[in-house]
Amino acid sequence: YLVGGYPRSLVLQEKYAEIRDLDFSSAYPDEVLKLGGMLAEKLGVKNPETFHRTMTISWTYRDIKCDFRGKEAG
């Protein structure tokens, strides 16, 4: 799911050019890490950061920060 600031910006009818981050969430942590990794690879992103405790993969593409996060491990 696309969550956070981007959907809020759509509702508030803000300009797309002002969006600087995209947050994705999933109830399936392993799958969201795979998806984030595959997209980073497809876009040519080098060295995405993976945080296993929070099941998050994070990277920046064209000045837009992208976070893919599953539910916390535990």
Side-chain angles (χ1 to χ4, degrees):
Y1 297 99
L2 184 57
V3 299
Y6 182 75
R8 181 181 57 243
S9 295
L10 289 177
V11 170
L12 297 174
Q13 299 180 345
E14 294 176 355
K15 296 178 183 172
Y16 292 111
E18 295 174 9
I19 295 168
R20 292 288 165 236
D21 71 312
L22 296 173
D23 300 304
F24 298 87
S25 183
S26 174
Y28 302 96
D30 293 336
E31 298 300 319
V32 80
L33 289 179
K34 274 192 227 178
L35 177 63
M38 288 174 22
L39 184 56
E41 183 178 331
K42 183 79 171 169
L43 294 173
V45 172
K46 304 288 185 212
N47 302 320
E49 292 182 89
T50 302
F51 305 94
H52 292 284
R53 188 181 69 73
T54 58
M55 300 304 286
T56 302
I57 187 167
S58 182
W59 40 268
T60 301
Y61 179 75
R62 294 188 179 180
D63 295 328
I64 298 175
K65 187 172 186 297
C66 298
D67 292 316
F68 292 76
R69 183 175 182 184
K71 63 182 179 181
E72 288 190 31

